[in-house]
Amino acid sequence: MSPKAPITQDVMTIPRKLPEGKVNLVGLTRDQLRDVLIEHGTPEKQAKMRTGQIWQWIYQWGVRDFGEMTNLAKAYRAQLAENFLIEIPEVVTRQVSEDGTRKYLCRIAGGHEVEVVYIPEEDRGTLCISSQVGCTLTCSFCHTGTQKLVRNLTAAEIVGQVMMARDDLEEWPTPGAPKDETRLLSNIVLMGMGEPLYNFENVRDAMKIAMDPEGISLSRRRITLSTSGVVPEIERTAKEIGCLLAISFHATTDETRDVLVPINKRWNIEELLQALASYPNASNSERITFEYVMLDGVNDSDEDAHRLIEHIKRHKIPAKINLIPFNEWPGAPYKRSSNNRIRAFANIIYQAGYASPIRKTRGEDIMAACGQLKSATERARKSRKQIEAEAGLNR
Ligand code: SAH
Ligand code: SF4
């Protein structure tokens, strides 16, 4: 493998055909849906219209049973039920935090589990979804990074997390009822388990479905993808998904970032900044979020704050900086910076003319906060060497 090749090849995704021989329709693009309908007997001439109808039942009304698709002939509904399924991840447990944050543990094919977090706020409701079971990367402050990568999620499993949350929030509209514009689930962040840009196609297809105006219909500006810095996929994210971008920046020198975010050994700070500077969608109204976890004595000095600003200014990146108080987890090798330190750091950034919100920690009592996600059944810790060897990070 060349030293700069993306690290996707060792990751499997399960086939779409389910054991009982039925095809799951969730997660298929419109074209794929049309193709499977034709493959299973829908006349070509009708296929486009049937695709639209079935799409709306699944994504606009949240229907899971072909019998309820009342604008289709009974015999056709039976034919669909024989060949297809509408299947999303199954909720195993649901925990509700004191602050209203909900954490779901969802089971997906193969018996694996992923965590999904819903964060209600006054003016929005954000769903934090996962893209992989575990992660190939080994960021030293992240709980997910201690869990070995099991597999990529399918597009069905990714958009299925959104559908699952809409089920739980009882947010599917009822046909004929007046349209309610205030959404409980108004935003999606790809900030759960995994590195979304190492599962690019599935993430893209799932987010396209979430944005489709004849379905879940979330605006692309309400979807934020967070990456640790998979440089070659950044431009594609703007072009093929079009969502907002957040970068797990976390350090201002390569020396420190190599330790905190080891993918930095492959694409360093300068290469990352160059990719961000040319992010096609970035503008003052669509700024790139720099995520910066505050670790006591590691990356939280005044010099770090000045260097961070200098990096962003040098590359003229429209940016806001999101300071994240470190969320501790059992065995974590770091401590959270003091509130005074975080405020002083934020102030330097603010004085330099950048927004520097401090992320409110949510759902900590149920281990639902950033970087605390790790499914209880997958506690195996791979050795750092093993992970780095697989990821091609050791030169
Ligand atoms: N893999 C992607 C998305 C998931 S992590 C990424 O790394 O960007 C989502 C965010 O939570 C990232 O900014 C990550 O760096 C941050 N994070 C991870 N562990 C954390 C912890 N223990 N405390 C606070 N933030 C953490
Ligand atoms: Fe993976 Fe993101 Fe955690 Fe790093 S911070 S180990 S990329 S999930």
Side-chain angles (χ1 to χ4, degrees), residues 135 137 139 141-144 190-196 226-229 246-250 291-293 324-329 359 369-372:
C135 190
L137 301 172
C139 303
F141 56 89
C142 173
H143 204 198
T144 308
L190 281 145
M191 295 187 186
M193 294 159 63
E195 169 47 63
S226 173
T227 177
S228 56
I247 296 289
S248 290
F249 206 68
H250 305 319
E291 298 168 283
Y292 199 95
V293 64
I324 315 173
F326 175 57
N327 293 311
E328 293 186 13
W329 38 271
R359 191 179 288 174
C370 299
Q372 290 184 315

mmCIF file of all heavy atoms in Angstrom, residues 135 137 139 141-144 190-196 226-229 246-250 291-293 324-329 359 369-372, ligand 1:
data_model
loop_
_atom_site.group_PDB
_atom_site.id
_atom_site.type_symbol
_atom_site.label_atom_id
_atom_site.label_comp_id
_atom_site.label_asym_id
_atom_site.label_seq_id
_atom_site.Cartn_x
_atom_site.Cartn_y
_atom_site.Cartn_z
ATOM 1 N N CYS A 135 -13.445 1.850 15.315
ATOM 2 C CA CYS A 135 -12.726 2.806 14.471
ATOM 3 C C CYS A 135 -11.334 2.256 14.205
ATOM 4 O O CYS A 135 -10.736 1.653 15.092
ATOM 5 C CB CYS A 135 -12.641 4.152 15.192
ATOM 6 S SG CYS A 135 -12.022 5.487 14.156
ATOM 7 N N LEU A 137 -8.849 4.154 13.617
ATOM 8 C CA LEU A 137 -7.894 5.145 14.114
ATOM 9 C C LEU A 137 -7.822 5.034 15.630
ATOM 10 O O LEU A 137 -8.693 4.431 16.263
ATOM 11 C CB LEU A 137 -8.321 6.519 13.631
ATOM 12 C CG LEU A 137 -8.387 6.561 12.089
ATOM 13 C CD1 LEU A 137 -9.001 7.843 11.605
ATOM 14 C CD2 LEU A 137 -7.011 6.379 11.501
ATOM 15 N N CYS A 139 -7.118 7.669 18.128
ATOM 16 C CA CYS A 139 -6.890 8.950 18.792
ATOM 17 C C CYS A 139 -6.800 8.678 20.292
ATOM 18 O O CYS A 139 -7.668 7.993 20.852
ATOM 19 C CB CYS A 139 -8.005 9.922 18.454
ATOM 20 S SG CYS A 139 -8.147 10.147 16.670
ATOM 21 N N PHE A 141 -7.258 10.203 23.018
ATOM 22 C CA PHE A 141 -8.198 10.736 24.007
ATOM 23 C C PHE A 141 -9.615 10.206 23.782
ATOM 24 O O PHE A 141 -10.539 10.584 24.481
ATOM 25 C CB PHE A 141 -8.229 12.275 23.905
ATOM 26 C CG PHE A 141 -8.583 12.719 22.509
ATOM 27 C CD1 PHE A 141 -9.902 12.903 22.168
ATOM 28 C CD2 PHE A 141 -7.605 12.855 21.543
ATOM 29 C CE1 PHE A 141 -10.246 13.245 20.869
ATOM 30 C CE2 PHE A 141 -7.942 13.194 20.242
ATOM 31 C CZ PHE A 141 -9.271 13.393 19.911
ATOM 32 N N CYS A 142 -9.781 9.335 22.784
ATOM 33 C CA CYS A 142 -11.138 8.930 22.375
ATOM 34 C C CYS A 142 -11.444 7.501 22.796
ATOM 35 O O CYS A 142 -10.657 6.592 22.517
ATOM 36 C CB CYS A 142 -11.264 9.068 20.861
ATOM 37 S SG CYS A 142 -12.810 8.422 20.220
ATOM 38 N N HIS A 143 -12.572 7.325 23.429
ATOM 39 C CA HIS A 143 -12.960 6.005 23.910
ATOM 40 C C HIS A 143 -13.215 5.041 22.751
ATOM 41 O O HIS A 143 -12.842 3.880 22.802
ATOM 42 C CB HIS A 143 -14.226 6.140 24.767
ATOM 43 C CG HIS A 143 -14.402 5.029 25.742
ATOM 44 N ND1 HIS A 143 -15.611 4.757 26.334
ATOM 45 C CD2 HIS A 143 -13.528 4.136 26.250
ATOM 46 C CE1 HIS A 143 -15.463 3.736 27.148
ATOM 47 N NE2 HIS A 143 -14.214 3.344 27.129
ATOM 48 N N THR A 144 -13.842 5.574 21.693
ATOM 49 C CA THR A 144 -14.125 4.715 20.530
ATOM 50 C C THR A 144 -12.815 4.170 19.951
ATOM 51 O O THR A 144 -12.769 3.050 19.449
ATOM 52 C CB THR A 144 -14.883 5.495 19.434
ATOM 53 O OG1 THR A 144 -16.024 6.109 20.023
ATOM 54 C CG2 THR A 144 -15.335 4.585 18.313
ATOM 55 N N LEU A 190 -22.445 13.684 12.164
ATOM 56 C CA LEU A 190 -21.740 12.401 12.048
ATOM 57 C C LEU A 190 -20.563 12.476 12.995
ATOM 58 O O LEU A 190 -19.422 12.700 12.598
ATOM 59 C CB LEU A 190 -21.306 12.177 10.600
ATOM 60 C CG LEU A 190 -22.438 11.679 9.701
ATOM 61 C CD1 LEU A 190 -22.318 12.233 8.300
ATOM 62 C CD2 LEU A 190 -22.486 10.155 9.683
ATOM 63 N N MET A 191 -20.888 12.348 14.289
ATOM 64 C CA MET A 191 -19.862 12.480 15.323
ATOM 65 C C MET A 191 -19.932 11.338 16.322
ATOM 66 O O MET A 191 -19.441 11.447 17.439
ATOM 67 C CB MET A 191 -20.025 13.806 16.081
ATOM 68 C CG MET A 191 -19.790 15.031 15.236
ATOM 69 S SD MET A 191 -19.799 16.524 16.232
ATOM 70 C CE MET A 191 -19.677 17.781 14.949
ATOM 71 N N GLY A 192 -20.578 10.269 15.921
ATOM 72 C CA GLY A 192 -20.664 9.114 16.815
ATOM 73 C C GLY A 192 -19.434 8.240 16.639
ATOM 74 O O GLY A 192 -18.322 8.734 16.497
ATOM 75 N N MET A 193 -19.655 6.941 16.602
ATOM 76 C CA MET A 193 -18.515 6.039 16.474
ATOM 77 C C MET A 193 -18.039 5.972 15.031
ATOM 78 O O MET A 193 -18.839 5.920 14.098
ATOM 79 C CB MET A 193 -18.931 4.635 16.936
ATOM 80 C CG MET A 193 -19.248 4.590 18.429
ATOM 81 S SD MET A 193 -20.265 3.198 18.885
ATOM 82 C CE MET A 193 -19.205 1.852 18.479
ATOM 83 N N GLY A 194 -16.718 5.968 14.880
ATOM 84 C CA GLY A 194 -16.144 5.726 13.561
ATOM 85 C C GLY A 194 -15.706 6.964 12.820
ATOM 86 O O GLY A 194 -16.031 8.084 13.190
ATOM 87 N N GLU A 195 -14.954 6.724 11.764
ATOM 88 C CA GLU A 195 -14.453 7.805 10.909
ATOM 89 C C GLU A 195 -15.298 7.785 9.626
ATOM 90 O O GLU A 195 -15.119 6.914 8.780
ATOM 91 C CB GLU A 195 -12.963 7.566 10.625
ATOM 92 C CG GLU A 195 -12.352 8.442 9.566
ATOM 93 C CD GLU A 195 -12.681 9.926 9.691
ATOM 94 O OE1 GLU A 195 -12.302 10.542 10.688
ATOM 95 O OE2 GLU A 195 -13.350 10.466 8.779
ATOM 96 N N PRO A 196 -16.211 8.757 9.484
ATOM 97 C CA PRO A 196 -17.138 8.705 8.346
ATOM 98 C C PRO A 196 -16.452 8.699 6.981
ATOM 99 O O PRO A 196 -16.955 8.093 6.043
ATOM 100 C CB PRO A 196 -18.004 9.956 8.504
ATOM 101 C CG PRO A 196 -17.426 10.740 9.621
ATOM 102 C CD PRO A 196 -16.499 9.873 10.389
ATOM 103 N N SER A 226 -18.049 15.103 10.789
ATOM 104 C CA SER A 226 -16.800 15.359 11.504
ATOM 105 C C SER A 226 -15.757 14.328 11.091
ATOM 106 O O SER A 226 -16.012 13.126 11.122
ATOM 107 C CB SER A 226 -17.042 15.273 13.014
ATOM 108 O OG SER A 226 -15.814 15.363 13.704
ATOM 109 N N THR A 227 -14.603 14.807 10.682
ATOM 110 C CA THR A 227 -13.522 13.885 10.311
ATOM 111 C C THR A 227 -12.249 14.211 11.073
ATOM 112 O O THR A 227 -11.992 15.365 11.417
ATOM 113 C CB THR A 227 -13.223 13.927 8.791
ATOM 114 O OG1 THR A 227 -12.113 13.054 8.519
ATOM 115 C CG2 THR A 227 -12.892 15.328 8.293
ATOM 116 N N SER A 228 -11.462 13.174 11.283
ATOM 117 C CA SER A 228 -10.177 13.371 11.954
ATOM 118 C C SER A 228 -9.145 13.938 10.979
ATOM 119 O O SER A 228 -8.057 14.305 11.391
ATOM 120 C CB SER A 228 -9.696 12.030 12.504
ATOM 121 O OG SER A 228 -9.646 11.097 11.442
ATOM 122 N N GLY A 229 -9.510 13.966 9.674
ATOM 123 C CA GLY A 229 -8.587 14.569 8.706
ATOM 124 C C GLY A 229 -8.156 13.630 7.598
ATOM 125 O O GLY A 229 -6.966 13.519 7.319
ATOM 126 N N ALA A 246 -16.758 19.448 9.894
ATOM 127 C CA ALA A 246 -16.062 19.719 11.158
ATOM 128 C C ALA A 246 -14.779 18.894 11.141
ATOM 129 O O ALA A 246 -14.751 17.785 10.610
ATOM 130 C CB ALA A 246 -16.927 19.313 12.343
ATOM 131 N N ILE A 247 -13.732 19.471 11.692
ATOM 132 C CA ILE A 247 -12.433 18.794 11.696
ATOM 133 C C ILE A 247 -11.980 18.603 13.127
ATOM 134 O O ILE A 247 -12.001 19.540 13.933
ATOM 135 C CB ILE A 247 -11.373 19.663 10.972
ATOM 136 C CG1 ILE A 247 -11.737 19.822 9.503
ATOM 137 C CG2 ILE A 247 -9.975 19.086 11.132
ATOM 138 C CD1 ILE A 247 -11.568 18.565 8.680
ATOM 139 N N SER A 248 -11.576 17.384 13.438
ATOM 140 C CA SER A 248 -11.020 17.111 14.758
ATOM 141 C C SER A 248 -9.582 17.595 14.752
ATOM 142 O O SER A 248 -8.673 16.842 14.430
ATOM 143 C CB SER A 248 -11.064 15.607 15.036
ATOM 144 O OG SER A 248 -12.390 15.208 15.213
ATOM 145 N N PHE A 249 -9.389 18.833 15.097
ATOM 146 C CA PHE A 249 -8.068 19.448 14.958
ATOM 147 C C PHE A 249 -7.184 19.140 16.175
ATOM 148 O O PHE A 249 -6.163 18.505 16.071
ATOM 149 C CB PHE A 249 -8.227 20.960 14.726
ATOM 150 C CG PHE A 249 -7.068 21.534 13.985
ATOM 151 C CD1 PHE A 249 -6.844 21.205 12.659
ATOM 152 C CD2 PHE A 249 -6.170 22.395 14.605
ATOM 153 C CE1 PHE A 249 -5.760 21.720 11.959
ATOM 154 C CE2 PHE A 249 -5.081 22.914 13.919
ATOM 155 C CZ PHE A 249 -4.880 22.578 12.600
ATOM 156 N N HIS A 250 -7.617 19.634 17.327
ATOM 157 C CA HIS A 250 -7.094 19.202 18.631
ATOM 158 C C HIS A 250 -5.649 19.518 18.997
ATOM 159 O O HIS A 250 -5.275 19.301 20.146
ATOM 160 C CB HIS A 250 -7.305 17.699 18.840
ATOM 161 C CG HIS A 250 -8.722 17.246 18.681
ATOM 162 N ND1 HIS A 250 -9.799 17.944 19.159
ATOM 163 C CD2 HIS A 250 -9.246 16.150 18.072
ATOM 164 C CE1 HIS A 250 -10.904 17.300 18.855
ATOM 165 N NE2 HIS A 250 -10.607 16.218 18.194
ATOM 166 N N GLU A 291 -12.810 21.460 15.706
ATOM 167 C CA GLU A 291 -13.093 20.899 17.025
ATOM 168 C C GLU A 291 -11.767 20.811 17.778
ATOM 169 O O GLU A 291 -10.749 20.383 17.223
ATOM 170 C CB GLU A 291 -13.712 19.509 16.887
ATOM 171 C CG GLU A 291 -15.039 19.534 16.151
ATOM 172 C CD GLU A 291 -15.504 18.142 15.771
ATOM 173 O OE1 GLU A 291 -14.949 17.596 14.798
ATOM 174 O OE2 GLU A 291 -16.389 17.618 16.449
ATOM 175 N N TYR A 292 -11.819 21.235 19.031
ATOM 176 C CA TYR A 292 -10.571 21.283 19.796
ATOM 177 C C TYR A 292 -10.858 20.809 21.215
ATOM 178 O O TYR A 292 -11.528 21.483 21.987
ATOM 179 C CB TYR A 292 -10.023 22.718 19.767
ATOM 180 C CG TYR A 292 -8.549 22.812 20.103
ATOM 181 C CD1 TYR A 292 -7.588 22.823 19.093
ATOM 182 C CD2 TYR A 292 -8.120 22.872 21.429
ATOM 183 C CE1 TYR A 292 -6.226 22.899 19.394
ATOM 184 C CE2 TYR A 292 -6.766 22.940 21.733
ATOM 185 C CZ TYR A 292 -5.827 22.960 20.719
ATOM 186 O OH TYR A 292 -4.491 23.029 21.007
ATOM 187 N N VAL A 293 -10.380 19.615 21.520
ATOM 188 C CA VAL A 293 -10.649 19.028 22.828
ATOM 189 C C VAL A 293 -9.640 19.610 23.828
ATOM 190 O O VAL A 293 -8.453 19.712 23.540
ATOM 191 C CB VAL A 293 -10.589 17.475 22.764
ATOM 192 C CG1 VAL A 293 -9.199 16.976 22.404
ATOM 193 C CG2 VAL A 293 -11.074 16.842 24.050
ATOM 194 N N ILE A 324 -14.058 21.731 23.099
ATOM 195 C CA ILE A 324 -14.774 20.611 23.737
ATOM 196 C C ILE A 324 -14.073 20.253 25.039
ATOM 197 O O ILE A 324 -12.939 19.757 25.016
ATOM 198 C CB ILE A 324 -14.781 19.351 22.835
ATOM 199 C CG1 ILE A 324 -15.117 19.705 21.373
ATOM 200 C CG2 ILE A 324 -15.723 18.304 23.370
ATOM 201 C CD1 ILE A 324 -14.979 18.525 20.414
ATOM 202 N N PRO A 325 -14.710 20.509 26.183
ATOM 203 C CA PRO A 325 -14.107 20.041 27.439
ATOM 204 C C PRO A 325 -13.952 18.522 27.355
ATOM 205 O O PRO A 325 -14.894 17.834 26.965
ATOM 206 C CB PRO A 325 -15.143 20.434 28.504
ATOM 207 C CG PRO A 325 -15.998 21.479 27.849
ATOM 208 C CD PRO A 325 -16.008 21.160 26.384
ATOM 209 N N PHE A 326 -12.785 18.026 27.653
ATOM 210 C CA PHE A 326 -12.519 16.586 27.539
ATOM 211 C C PHE A 326 -13.509 15.791 28.395
ATOM 212 O O PHE A 326 -13.706 16.081 29.570
ATOM 213 C CB PHE A 326 -11.086 16.300 27.998
ATOM 214 C CG PHE A 326 -10.739 14.843 28.047
ATOM 215 C CD1 PHE A 326 -10.861 14.045 26.913
ATOM 216 C CD2 PHE A 326 -10.296 14.259 29.226
ATOM 217 C CE1 PHE A 326 -10.547 12.694 26.947
ATOM 218 C CE2 PHE A 326 -9.971 12.905 29.275
ATOM 219 C CZ PHE A 326 -10.097 12.128 28.141
ATOM 220 N N ASN A 327 -14.104 14.810 27.795
ATOM 221 C CA ASN A 327 -14.995 13.922 28.545
ATOM 222 C C ASN A 327 -14.207 12.704 28.981
ATOM 223 O O ASN A 327 -13.692 11.969 28.141
ATOM 224 C CB ASN A 327 -16.173 13.492 27.667
ATOM 225 C CG ASN A 327 -17.064 14.668 27.355
ATOM 226 O OD1 ASN A 327 -17.454 15.421 28.236
ATOM 227 N ND2 ASN A 327 -17.360 14.858 26.076
ATOM 228 N N GLU A 328 -14.161 12.508 30.278
ATOM 229 C CA GLU A 328 -13.341 11.407 30.775
ATOM 230 C C GLU A 328 -14.060 10.075 30.615
ATOM 231 O O GLU A 328 -15.279 10.015 30.582
ATOM 232 C CB GLU A 328 -12.968 11.680 32.225
ATOM 233 C CG GLU A 328 -12.053 12.886 32.261
ATOM 234 C CD GLU A 328 -11.476 13.206 33.613
ATOM 235 O OE1 GLU A 328 -11.576 12.360 34.525
ATOM 236 O OE2 GLU A 328 -10.914 14.300 33.755
ATOM 237 N N TRP A 329 -13.277 9.035 30.484
ATOM 238 C CA TRP A 329 -13.813 7.674 30.431
ATOM 239 C C TRP A 329 -12.860 6.801 31.226
ATOM 240 O O TRP A 329 -11.716 7.196 31.490
ATOM 241 C CB TRP A 329 -13.970 7.207 28.982
ATOM 242 C CG TRP A 329 -12.894 7.645 28.021
ATOM 243 C CD1 TRP A 329 -12.872 8.796 27.288
ATOM 244 C CD2 TRP A 329 -11.671 6.960 27.686
ATOM 245 N NE1 TRP A 329 -11.736 8.862 26.512
ATOM 246 C CE2 TRP A 329 -10.972 7.745 26.732
ATOM 247 C CE3 TRP A 329 -11.092 5.752 28.081
ATOM 248 C CZ2 TRP A 329 -9.743 7.373 26.188
ATOM 249 C CZ3 TRP A 329 -9.866 5.362 27.532
ATOM 250 C CH2 TRP A 329 -9.210 6.180 26.603
ATOM 251 N N ARG A 359 -18.300 23.818 23.973
ATOM 252 C CA ARG A 359 -19.398 22.848 23.829
ATOM 253 C C ARG A 359 -19.900 22.429 25.198
ATOM 254 O O ARG A 359 -19.124 22.073 26.082
ATOM 255 C CB ARG A 359 -18.937 21.627 23.044
ATOM 256 C CG ARG A 359 -20.096 20.731 22.634
ATOM 257 C CD ARG A 359 -19.644 19.537 21.839
ATOM 258 N NE ARG A 359 -19.220 19.871 20.493
ATOM 259 C CZ ARG A 359 -18.678 18.989 19.653
ATOM 260 N NH1 ARG A 359 -18.489 17.744 20.033
ATOM 261 N NH2 ARG A 359 -18.318 19.350 18.437
ATOM 262 N N ALA A 369 -21.637 11.413 26.122
ATOM 263 C CA ALA A 369 -20.937 12.606 25.631
ATOM 264 C C ALA A 369 -19.904 12.230 24.576
ATOM 265 O O ALA A 369 -19.544 11.062 24.439
ATOM 266 C CB ALA A 369 -20.272 13.316 26.808
ATOM 267 N N CYS A 370 -19.432 13.258 23.844
ATOM 268 C CA CYS A 370 -18.445 13.041 22.771
ATOM 269 C C CYS A 370 -17.329 12.145 23.237
ATOM 270 O O CYS A 370 -16.742 12.368 24.288
ATOM 271 C CB CYS A 370 -17.738 14.333 22.387
ATOM 272 S SG CYS A 370 -18.777 15.576 21.788
ATOM 273 N N GLY A 371 -16.974 11.183 22.424
ATOM 274 C CA GLY A 371 -15.796 10.376 22.704
ATOM 275 C C GLY A 371 -16.001 9.346 23.791
ATOM 276 O O GLY A 371 -15.085 8.616 24.129
ATOM 277 N N GLN A 372 -17.204 9.263 24.331
ATOM 278 C CA GLN A 372 -17.427 8.259 25.376
ATOM 279 C C GLN A 372 -18.115 7.020 24.820
ATOM 280 O O GLN A 372 -18.382 6.074 25.531
ATOM 281 C CB GLN A 372 -18.295 8.843 26.498
ATOM 282 C CG GLN A 372 -17.568 9.897 27.313
ATOM 283 C CD GLN A 372 -18.411 10.385 28.471
ATOM 284 O OE1 GLN A 372 -19.600 10.656 28.313
ATOM 285 N NE2 GLN A 372 -17.816 10.505 29.625
HETATM 286 N N1 SAH B 1 -14.173 10.108 13.826
HETATM 287 C C1 SAH B 1 -14.678 11.394 13.632
HETATM 288 C C2 SAH B 1 -16.065 11.594 14.234
HETATM 289 C C3 SAH B 1 -16.332 11.017 15.595
HETATM 290 S S1 SAH B 1 -15.607 11.774 17.002
HETATM 291 C C4 SAH B 1 -13.729 12.428 14.166
HETATM 292 O O1 SAH B 1 -12.766 12.048 14.813
HETATM 293 O O2 SAH B 1 -13.917 13.612 13.876
HETATM 294 C C5 SAH B 1 -16.547 13.259 17.270
HETATM 295 C C6 SAH B 1 -15.770 14.324 18.029
HETATM 296 O O3 SAH B 1 -15.610 13.994 19.418
HETATM 297 C C7 SAH B 1 -14.375 14.517 17.473
HETATM 298 O O4 SAH B 1 -14.027 15.867 17.384
HETATM 299 C C8 SAH B 1 -13.559 13.822 18.506
HETATM 300 O O5 SAH B 1 -12.235 14.253 18.427
HETATM 301 C C9 SAH B 1 -14.263 14.222 19.777
HETATM 302 N N2 SAH B 1 -13.903 13.392 20.931
HETATM 303 C C10 SAH B 1 -13.469 12.122 20.933
HETATM 304 N N3 SAH B 1 -13.228 11.711 22.196
HETATM 305 C C11 SAH B 1 -13.501 12.742 23.018
HETATM 306 C C12 SAH B 1 -13.477 12.905 24.430
HETATM 307 N N4 SAH B 1 -13.139 11.915 25.242
HETATM 308 N N5 SAH B 1 -13.856 14.099 24.924
HETATM 309 C C13 SAH B 1 -14.255 15.085 24.109
HETATM 310 N N6 SAH B 1 -14.302 14.976 22.773
HETATM 311 C C14 SAH B 1 -13.938 13.826 22.220
#
